[in-house]
Amino acid sequence: MPASTAEPTASASQASSESLPSGKPPFESWGRYPKYNARLVQLHWQSDFPSILAGSHEYVLPVGMGRSYGDVCLLKDGVLLQTTGMNRLLDFDPRTGILTAESGATLAQILDFAVPRGFFLPVTPGTKYVTLGGAIANDIHGKNHEAAGSFGNHVPCFEIVRSDGTRILCSPRDNAEWFQATIGGMGLTGLITWAQLRLKPIVSRGIDYEGIQYHGIDEFLELKQRYKNVEYTVSWVDCVSTGKNFARGIFMLGEHSRVPGELKPSPEPRLIFPMDAPGFALNRTSMSAFNAVIFHKQRKPHVRLVQDYEPFFYPLDSVLHWNRMYGRNGLVQFQYVIPWEGAKEGTIAILRAIANSGLASFLAVLKAFGDIPSLGMMSFPRPGIMLALDFPIKPGVTMQLLERLGDMTLDYGGRLYPAKDAAMTPRQFQSFYPNWERFARFRDPMITSSFWERVTDTNGVKPTV
Amino acid sequence: MTLSAFDPQPARSAATEPVHHHNVSPSARVTRKILVLGATSGIAEAVCRIWASQGAQLFLVARNAEKLAAVAADLKTRGAAYVGTAVADLDDTAKHSELLSHAINSLTGMDIALLAHGVLGEQPRAEQDFHHAAQILHTNFVAPVSLLTWLSNYCVQRRSGVLAVISSVAGDRGRKSNYLYGSSKAGLSAFLAGLRNRIDREGVTVMTIKPGPVKTAMTAGMKGSEKFADVNKVAQSIVAAIDKRVDTLYVPFQWAPIMWVVRSIPERFFKKLNL
């Protein structure tokens, strides 16, 4: 193992021995698990890092909106550098669609700017409340992976600043290895100060939408094949039902409407999930009922309509803090991709294990990844089937299930997504990402995350609940 | 002082433009010419983003060239019709007339000036070190008086204009936790009230903006700062109040009744409070 990965643990723990006060930690990830104390420092200017640390030797981690689910955006007892105050739009060229922005600009802010000008994000995840820097650092993907690849494929260049103050301009031509290490590099290679993003033209906010019910993985694969030329495809899958309803779902297709429409900015969300739901709210009965409602909400097996892009891409963004639904213990996500060789068999086996566990909830997504290679050394997407779903944290149960599902993923040749993870073991991580030691050479010596500390820990310590 | 203009050929249409006396109509917004002093302050930047998206012409003054360039690029990108900049230390009152005349020449006129520069200072240090206290008073009170003297005379001659100045709720009553900052802002508020009394009748609006604590770089790391007001909401209120030519704006609005209460507590009780 390269030296740079060996040193951080000792002083990260000495940095602060204060235990987490009973109240809220200063910064939570979207899954609200695990909860760690840290010092939160706001960055407002590109020149703030590293000078804002004033020679302190604490470990740091750049973070954005905290929408990754597990601990890639956490650093226990360290310093979190939140970039959201660094959100200036530095340049936009309507001829090329290239926007240059500081890394703390959110995709929501970029949409507010771009949509009225007739442009849209080249790739968008299921929430617009993520920063540009975070989208690069996790090389996020969207419903158009088959047509567009992942986010990093649309980033012509960016700058990172290292903790020693060195600035590195990264593009496929300049410092290409730093470019590859930083895309999907989980923020560990340095602070991304600004980046360019190639936006794409649209003529309407509307999405021509189709929803098609399916039963089982074969039908899913058939639909995927039939609609392989449609830009956006995704499916919701029922992970609770067994028997004849096993792996039923709704296959969703969308394309930007070609009929010119009004390009006004989106309204502010009005609904807020007001407080933590009690622990008993999510159980097998309520989840079965919920899944049946989602499946049958679409009355006919096949519907077509024109939908605004907000509910199509960001159905959950309309309720702020929806993660409180999982109560104060929080949730974990499980997201794999399995390459085509083992994709069908693996997906059926894992869906069966999930349904039998009785732990699944209702937010499950099944989708195919296309063949466009991601540019990052540590990027998650690869051709195959991707499944993502949430589990409520149940002490003594959830983590054990996740370790088993991780091992099954490994057996079928797949891998898990660090941005969603709070559970993969060092052994699993190092098999999923055989490049990790090469990547580690690009990590900034002062930057680390709780995720990185966990999955590179060779003592084999497992996370526990 | 470094002077630069982002757009070397701004729309120079002063001759054909109607002169606005009182209310600025919404259709006139696109042509508004706005001078912003302390343009890299969190509140000023948020206000400027709204003006930029309305297509205003802006001239920005700030001390730090790198930060100013980032703010200017952002405002240009968001749709400002013109963005001129000057790097200047506004503490240097001797250079004010040169700076202001250059800014107004670049804008070919001025409809609104926003004064947003200021320092919080360090209260405990100011209690021991008069030089630090004097510095706070200079930056927050003396320098704005110099700027406003020049600007008010310019506006009075044209019989139009809005001078919007960021003071603070802290100026409404001295408290032990920040009375140096507070007294500098109290002086500023009193100056603005007097100036308004003199020149409002000349067609010039003098607006005193009194923000409560706002989440910006200036207040980052302060106790309870996560509960401070959102800077973009504050900016929306300021833009709307300038359009309506309000005399005094407490923002967020709850601070008006809060400060009324704070001002009405009898001194013999007030002096014993820990505020």
Side-chain angles (χ1 to χ4, degrees):
Chain A
M1 195 171 64
S4 61
T5 59
E7 84 236 355
T9 20
S11 36
S13 53
Q14 92 183 11
S16 158
S17 52
E18 268 177 77
S19 62
L20 186 61
S22 55
K24 230 166 88 85
F27 188 82
E28 290 186 320
S29 67
W30 192 245
R32 305 171 75 197
Y33 173 87
K35 294 182 201 287
Y36 292 141
N37 202 11
R39 189 156 69 86
L40 187 62
V41 172
Q42 303 289 339
L43 302 183
H44 290 92
W45 305 97
Q46 291 180 47
S47 52
D48 281 351
F49 179 73
S51 59
I52 204 163
L53 299 176
S56 128
H57 293 289
E58 291 167 278
Y59 283 84
V60 302
L61 177 69
V63 296
M65 294 289 281
R67 287 295 177 122
S68 39
Y69 281 66
D71 51 3
V72 289
C73 63
L74 300 177
L75 177 55
K76 185 169 190 262
D77 297 329
V79 180
L80 299 173
L81 303 169
Q82 189 167 30
T83 60
T84 47
M86 220 168 67
N87 58 14
R88 296 175 190 87
L89 309 179
L90 302 173
D91 185 54
F92 179 63
D93 184 346
R95 289 166 304 177
T96 58
I98 292 179
L99 174 74
T100 309
E102 289 178 340
S103 64
T106 65
L107 299 190
Q109 290 162 350
I110 291 174
L111 285 167
D112 283 345
F113 172 81
V115 169
R117 288 168 172 79
F119 285 90
F120 200 74
L121 299 166
V123 165
T124 179
T127 171
K128 58 179 179 171
Y129 299 122
V130 300
T131 61
L132 177 60
I136 295 169
N138 294 293
D139 195 17
I140 58 167
H141 54 267
K143 297 172 174 53
N144 59 349
H145 186 268
E146 285 171 289
S150 53
F151 197 84
N153 295 66
H154 305 273
V155 176
C157 70
F158 54 80
E159 182 193 72
I160 59 172
V161 182
R162 304 273 288 176
S163 59
D164 63 5
T166 315
R167 287 173 184 264
I168 307 176
L169 181 72
C170 306
S171 77
R173 274 176 307 172
D174 303 301
N175 304 302
E177 281 202 305
W178 287 98
F179 184 74
Q180 292 154 18
T182 302
I183 291 176
M186 298 167 282
L188 300 173
T189 60
L191 172 78
I192 302 171
T193 47
W194 58 263
Q196 290 193 331
L197 180 65
R198 200 180 298 107
L199 303 175
K200 66 176 183 191
I202 53 167
V203 297
S204 162
R205 291 178 58 95
I207 297 286
D208 294 330
Y209 168 83
E210 279 184 66
I212 305 163
Q213 291 179 345
Y214 66 84
H215 289 87
I217 299 305
D218 283 323
E219 278 186 38
F220 165 80
L221 290 171
E222 209 174 284
L223 288 166
K224 178 233 159 252
Q225 191 57 27
R226 189 184 325 156
Y227 293 105
K228 62 171 190 255
N229 294 321
V230 174
E231 180 169 11
Y232 299 105
T233 60
V234 70
S235 86
W236 165 82
V237 63
D238 179 347
C239 286
V240 176
S241 300
T242 50
K244 72 174 169 55
N245 288 331
F246 175 70
R248 66 178 172 177
I250 297 174
F251 197 84
M252 294 176 267
L253 313 162
E255 282 194 324
H256 290 284
S257 171
R258 292 178 175 88
V259 182
E262 203 193 344
L263 289 165
K264 55 185 194 303
S266 299
E268 297 274 311
R270 293 183 174 277
L271 300 174
I272 297 185
F273 206 89
M275 57 186 172
D276 292 336
F280 58 82
L282 300 183
N283 55 48
R284 195 183 270 249
T285 316
S286 66
M287 284 307 101
S288 298
F290 212 102
N291 278 276
V293 167
I294 294 177
F295 187 78
H296 294 291
K297 199 179 87 177
Q298 171 168 334
R299 298 259 174 118
K300 285 179 283 182
H302 194 149
V303 298
R304 279 195 182 85
L305 51 99
V306 181
Q307 195 177 32
D308 188 76
Y309 76 74
E310 284 281 340
F312 180 74
F313 289 113
Y314 315 118
L316 290 167
D317 279 352
S318 59
V319 185
L320 295 174
H321 301 297
W322 63 260
N323 53 346
R324 289 176 181 163
M325 185 170 59
Y326 286 90
R328 56 172 312 200
N329 284 347
L331 71 147
V332 283
Q333 266 238 341
F334 171 72
Q335 181 164 5
Y336 71 64
V337 56
I338 297 180
W340 287 115
E341 302 86 84
K344 184 181 156 184
E345 203 190 332
T347 297
I348 291 172
I350 290 173
L351 279 175
R352 230 176 259 296
I354 291 167
N356 291 337
S357 75
L359 275 181
S361 61
F362 44 89
L363 304 168
V365 171
L366 186 67
K367 153 162 191 63
F369 275 152
D371 298 330
I372 299 173
S374 291
L375 303 177
M377 264 176 219
M378 299 292 284
S379 291
F380 164 69
R382 56 180 297 184
I385 290 184
M386 180 225 93
L387 174 77
L389 79 160
D390 299 345
F391 290 102
I393 299 270
K394 299 243 160 107
V397 185
T398 309
M399 287 297 150
Q400 284 75 347
L401 174 69
L402 286 172
E403 187 177 351
R404 194 154 65 83
L405 297 177
D407 282 341
M408 291 174 78
T409 304
L410 196 54
D411 289 344
Y412 289 101
R415 63 183 172 215
L416 302 182
Y417 189 10
K420 300 292 183 72
D421 183 76
M424 71 173 101
T425 63
R427 175 181 55 80
Q428 289 172 343
F429 171 77
Q430 292 164 22
S431 316
F432 293 146
Y433 295 92
N435 267 340
W436 75 278
E437 282 177 303
R438 179 172 164 236
F439 167 75
R441 291 197 290 271
F442 293 89
R443 188 177 68 79
D444 188 293
M446 292 307 296
I447 300 180
T448 189
S449 65
S450 289
F451 175 83
W452 185 254
E453 295 300 307
R454 173 162 66 82
V455 298
T456 56
D457 182 355
T458 43
N459 300 330
V461 180
K462 278 183 283 182
T464 50
V465 180
Chain B
M1 187 167 65
T2 320
L3 302 173
S4 72
F6 247 69
D7 182 348
Q9 299 270 275
R12 293 186 190 268
S13 53
T16 56
E17 242 169 71
V19 176
H20 309 302
H21 284 278
H22 260 260
N23 293 316
V24 180
S25 73
S27 62
R29 275 180 176 173
V30 282
T31 64
R32 285 201 298 189
K33 297 169 177 186
I34 304 172
L35 168 64
V36 184
L37 299 157
T40 55
S41 93
I43 292 178
E45 188 180 9
V47 169
C48 285
R49 284 187 184 182
I50 299 173
W51 281 333
S53 68
Q54 295 170 350
Q57 300 181 45
L58 301 165
F59 194 94
L60 314 176
V61 180
R63 206 171 26 178
N64 182 306
E66 202 178 332
K67 293 177 181 179
L68 180 59
V71 172
D74 177 71
L75 298 175
K76 189 85 185 117
T77 306
R78 288 176 195 270
Y82 167 77
V83 182
T85 60
V87 177
D89 183 350
L90 293 172
D91 281 351
D92 189 356
T93 54
K95 298 217 171 104
H96 281 181
S97 56
E98 185 196 346
L99 172 74
L100 294 172
S101 51
H102 169 74
I104 291 177
N105 287 339
S106 302
L107 284 170
T108 66
M110 187 196 82
D111 303 307
I112 301 169
L114 175 67
L115 275 74
H117 68 287
V119 290
L120 197 52
E122 295 163 50
Q123 174 66 26
R125 188 174 147 210
E127 288 165 12
Q128 304 300 322
D129 173 6
F130 168 70
H131 288 292
H132 184 58
Q135 240 169 25
I136 298 171
L137 293 172
H138 185 83
T139 303
N140 292 355
F141 179 56
V142 176
V145 167
S146 162
L147 294 163
L148 286 162
T149 301
W150 195 101
L151 290 167
S152 60
N153 291 331
Y154 170 84
C155 291
V156 165
Q157 279 197 333
R158 303 215 325 172
R159 301 188 69 78
S160 77
V162 179
L163 302 173
V165 184
I166 298 187
S167 184
S168 171
V169 293
D172 278 17
R173 193 161 193 177
R175 293 172 294 124
K176 69 175 187 180
S177 61
N178 70 347
Y179 64 82
L180 252 310
Y181 176 77
S183 57
S184 71
K185 292 297 194 180
L188 182 59
S189 296
F191 176 84
L192 293 169
L195 184 66
R196 176 161 50 242
N197 189 221
R198 192 190 109 214
I199 66 173
D200 186 75
R201 62 196 72 182
E202 311 276 349
V204 183
T205 299
V206 177
M207 184 174 151
T208 310
I209 302 164
K210 294 183 178 179
V214 181
K215 236 183 281 175
T216 63
M218 185 173 90
T219 59
M222 279 170 69
K223 215 173 113 198
S225 61
E226 70 283 351
K227 294 201 177 114
F228 289 1
D230 175 65
V231 71
N232 294 314
K233 298 220 169 91
V234 167
Q236 280 167 13
S237 305
I238 291 173
V239 169
I242 288 174
D243 288 350
K244 281 189 262 169
R245 302 204 165 210
V246 168
D247 294 324
T248 301
L249 174 73
Y250 283 90
V251 59
F253 66 91
Q254 302 89 305
W255 285 93
I258 294 171
M259 293 319 293
W260 182 82
V261 171
V262 169
R263 283 193 311 270
S264 29
I265 299 170
E267 189 61 24
R268 65 200 148 98
F269 300 122
F270 194 83
K271 68 182 179 188
K272 295 187 176 135
L273 300 176
N274 289 312
L275 289 168

